[in-house]
Every structure is written in structure tokens, then in C-alpha cells.
């Protein structure tokens, strides 16, 4: 089998990871996360590409692109988790596994964060494990892809 390609997509404000509210999100940067995911992906025999956008339409375009090139998506939609039916619809057009990741435990935070549109499409949800959640998602997607 060819090397599985995995898209790791990050939503708004995650470009500030390590700087913004470190008491919630920690001190690792998005580059740190991308490097750790690339290393683990290589160990698991997967090609990993990490991308981030603060723009809903750009994230939707990334999901559409993944339809023709990736076997799985790991997504931290950030604030769009709670608002974007459009991202849900785009993910619903993707045939491979989708893992939703949140660095913080969204269920211990403000009430509006308890609802996720993405969860209705996701094959798994990992929340509250810090940036390690991305690595857990990679391990799980590897199992799902067999």
C-alpha cells in the first residue's frame, strides 16, 4: 500500500499557539506540533502535512483539496467548531476518517464551547490532552486506516 497522506488542519488563532493564553493552550508553538506530528507520522509510515488558516473559506478549500489527495484528516477547527456548518458540510464530503482535536477540554470551558458541529462528522474526538492530542489522533487514524 502507498504511504497514507494525512492532512492536519488548524483553525483561527492557532497560529498564536504558545503565545496566546498559555495557561489554557500551553507553550508549544504550532511549528512544534507540526514537527512532532511529522516525526510520528514517519514512524507510522504516513506522510503528514500541517496547515493553518484564520479564514473559514480557506479551511473549506483545504478540506476540498484533501478529497483528492489525502486518506485522513485531523482537524482542530478552533472557534469554528461551534459555529461552522460550512466546515461540517465540507468534512461530510470527505470519505476518509476525520479526527477532531482540541487542545483544551472544551466541555470544562464556557457553555457555548460545549457544542461542536464538527463532532457530528468526526470518527473520533480528542479534547483536553494538550498538544499531545494531535499525536493521539495520528495513532488512532493509523489504526483506522489499517
Amino acid at each position: 500500500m502507498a504511504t497514507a497522506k494525512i492532512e492536519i488542519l488548524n483553525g483561527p488563532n492557532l497560529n498564536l499557539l504558545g503565545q496566546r493564553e498559555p495557561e489554557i493552550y500551553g507553550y508549544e508553538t504550532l511549528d512544534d506540533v507540526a514537527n512532532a506530528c511529522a516525526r510520528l507520522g514517519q514512524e507510522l509510515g504516513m506522510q503528514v502535512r500541517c496547515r493553518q488558516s484564520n479564514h473559514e473559506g480557506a479551511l473549506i478549500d483545504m478540506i476540498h483539496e484533501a478529497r483528492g489527495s489525502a486518506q485522513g484528516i485531523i482537524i482542530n477547527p478552533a472557534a469554528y467548531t461551534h459555529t461552522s456548518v460550512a466546515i461540517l458540510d465540507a468534512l461530510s464530503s470527505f470519505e476518509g476518517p476525520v479526527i477532531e482535536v482540541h487542545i483544551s477540554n472544551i466541555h470544562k470551558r464556557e457553555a457555548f464551547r460545549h457544542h461542536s458541529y464538527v463532532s457530528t462528522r468526526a470518527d473520533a474526538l480528542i479534547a483536553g490532552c494538550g498538544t499531545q492530542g494531535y499525536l493521539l489522533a495520528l495513532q488512532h487514524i493509523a489504526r483506522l486506516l489499517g
Side-chain angles (χ1 to χ4, degrees):
M1 180 176 142
T3 301
K5 294 179 181 172
I6 308 301
E7 289 283 342
I8 300 178
L9 306 178
N10 290 282
N13 299 310
L14 286 166
N15 57 305
L16 299 177
L17 193 60
Q19 303 168 35
R20 176 181 165 250
E21 299 178 280
E23 68 280 2
I24 295 173
Y25 301 109
Y27 290 94
E28 286 184 285
T29 67
L30 200 54
D31 282 343
D32 294 334
V33 172
N35 291 333
C37 288
R39 283 190 301 273
L40 180 59
Q42 188 172 25
E43 289 174 26
L44 296 170
M46 298 186 300
Q47 182 181 339
V48 175
R49 179 166 68 165
C50 296
R51 298 196 281 172
Q52 185 274 335
S53 180
N54 292 318
H55 306 282
E56 183 178 32
L59 290 165
I60 291 165
D61 289 342
M62 291 175 195
I63 295 165
H64 290 177
E65 289 172 28
R67 292 181 69 221
S69 63
Q71 287 69 52
I73 293 175
I74 295 169
I75 185 167
N76 182 342
Y80 290 135
T81 302
H82 323 293
T83 63
S84 184
V85 173
I87 288 176
L88 167 63
D89 287 348
L91 289 169
S92 294
S93 75
F94 182 78
E95 294 184 7
V98 173
I99 310 294
E100 179 181 356
V101 171
H102 297 285
I103 296 168
S104 68
N105 182 348
I106 60 175
H107 301 288
K108 284 185 73 174
R109 298 188 61 198
E110 304 93 335
F112 75 87
R113 295 187 195 274
H114 299 177
H115 177 265
S116 168
Y117 284 101
V118 172
S119 289
T120 63
R121 166 55 183 95
D123 296 290
L125 167 65
I126 299 169
C129 296
T131 57
Q132 183 185 8
Y134 290 91
L135 302 176
L136 296 170
L138 271 173
Q139 291 170 333
H140 187 64
I141 213 162
R143 279 190 219 102
L144 291 176
L145 292 172

